[in-house]
Amino acid sequence: MYHFFVSEEQINGENAYIEGSDVNHIVNVLRMKPEEELLISVKGDWDYLCKIVDIETDRVNLKVLESMEQRELPVNITLLQGIPKSDKLEMIIQKAVELGVNEIIPVKTKRVVVKIDEKKAGAKVSRWNAIAESAAKQSKRSIIPKVYEPMSIDNALEIVKDFGVKLIPYENADGIDKTRKILDGMDKTKDIVVFIGPEGGFEEAEVERIKNSGFEVITLGKRILRTETAGLALLSNIMIRLEDE
């Protein structure tokens, strides 16, 4: 079923509407007609099953058939991602959104080799957020996760300073039992942040700085995982443990 996001003002009791670029997508790409059903989400609080009533030039009018509780995990998850080369970040954003993250912050660590032109940064961030929105629709999320502009380690750590669970996988860590205990004992009321290094990993001094800000250094096993694999492996484990019945 097709899925769209609307603001609170666009739903009133049994009546709702979709406007903006989604109208063209509904009419000219999906070729939907009156009486067809779709799903809308409002700020992550509720999802609504709706039926198309009629289609105007600039809006699609809907009737609400059923309200449903959101599909979100019980806590917010933020991914701090060392910026990888080529288009790997786009894939990471897409899959991380499917796995339940609420925010993705690209981080400029010492071993990041990608140089983002400041003149093109705005377009890059817009594209990343468009990918997040598309992934949210595909996976039936109740919110659209936010992708931030790239920032320094210190700025990223400031944003997540009050999070209750902070994890940093590191290839020099050991003790998979520690990792299991942390994941199995996660408090479902505390927000979670995961910090993944870029290609080449973190420098030891960076790990110490991150550790001193409250992060637990963990291992994901004996194998060395690529940056685009490590975060998704950890997020998958977190999602399974947090998912409500």
Side-chain angles (χ1 to χ4, degrees):
M1 182 175 295
Y2 297 114
H3 186 195
F4 300 91
F5 292 91
V6 301
S7 62
E8 288 183 273
E9 311 86 66
Q10 290 172 250
I11 184 166
N12 181 18
E14 292 186 352
N15 300 310
Y17 66 91
I18 294 172
E19 61 182 0
S21 60
D22 284 334
V23 174
N24 178 68
H25 189 68
I26 289 170
V27 175
N28 297 316
V29 179
L30 302 179
R31 299 189 180 278
M32 298 186 75
K33 306 293 183 184
E35 299 300 315
E36 291 192 68
E37 296 180 357
L38 51 79
L39 190 70
I40 61 173
S41 294
V42 184
K43 281 195 171 179
D45 293 327
W46 291 93
D47 296 332
Y48 297 89
L49 176 64
C50 298
K51 178 176 67 175
I52 297 176
V53 175
D54 60 68
I55 298 173
E56 301 178 25
T57 303
D58 58 353
R59 62 189 271 172
V60 176
N61 295 308
L62 311 170
K63 179 180 180 181
V64 176
L65 302 177
E66 181 184 356
S67 59
M68 300 168 284
E69 289 191 49
Q70 63 177 8
R71 291 175 165 84
E72 296 302 307
L73 295 171
V75 298
N76 290 334
I77 303 175
T78 293
L79 171 64
L80 307 184
Q81 174 66 53
I83 303 172
K85 293 182 289 186
S86 65
D87 58 355
K88 291 179 182 178
L89 184 56
E90 296 185 0
M91 185 275 286
I92 291 169
I93 291 168
Q94 181 189 65
K95 301 308 177 186
V97 168
E98 292 177 19
L99 292 170
V101 300
N102 299 78
E103 297 176 325
I104 300 167
I105 304 178
V107 184
K108 296 179 283 188
T109 65
K110 286 286 183 68
R111 292 178 181 170
V112 165
V113 298
V114 177
K115 304 298 181 185
I116 297 177
D117 188 335
E118 289 188 9
K119 295 179 181 179
K120 298 179 180 178
K124 280 276 190 184
V125 175
S126 294
R127 175 166 172 76
W128 293 339
N129 278 285
I131 290 169
E133 180 175 354
S134 178
K137 289 177 178 178
Q138 184 276 327
S139 57
K140 300 296 187 289
R141 293 287 301 273
S142 297
I143 64 165
I144 302 173
K146 177 181 178 180
V147 185
Y148 285 70
E149 293 186 6
M151 64 181 69
S152 67
I153 289 180
D154 288 339
N155 288 342
L157 293 179
E158 178 65 22
I159 289 176
V160 300
K161 65 181 180 180
D162 295 324
F163 280 44
V165 179
K166 302 178 181 182
L167 304 175
I168 172 174
Y170 185 48
E171 62 265 25
N172 291 339
D174 55 18
I176 195 68
D177 283 344
K178 174 186 175 183
T179 303
R180 292 194 186 102
K181 287 177 182 177
I182 290 173
L183 294 178
D184 290 340
M186 281 188 303
D187 188 334
K188 290 189 176 183
T189 67
K190 293 182 178 179
D191 291 343
I192 299 167
V193 56
V194 171
F195 203 153
I196 303 296
E199 289 103 340
F202 292 105
E203 292 191 349
E204 288 190 19
E206 291 176 324
V207 174
E208 284 303 310
R209 191 186 342 166
I210 295 165
K211 183 178 177 181
N212 290 338
S213 70
F215 278 72
E216 289 277 3
V217 180
I218 62 171
T219 178
L220 297 179
K222 297 177 181 179
R223 291 148 303 284
I224 302 298
L225 303 181
R226 294 178 183 270
T227 184
E228 65 268 31
T229 308
L232 303 182
L234 183 51
L235 290 170
S236 298
N237 274 279
I238 291 172
M239 179 192 69
I240 288 170
R241 286 167 169 82
L242 292 180
E243 195 73 65
D244 291 329
E245 295 292 340

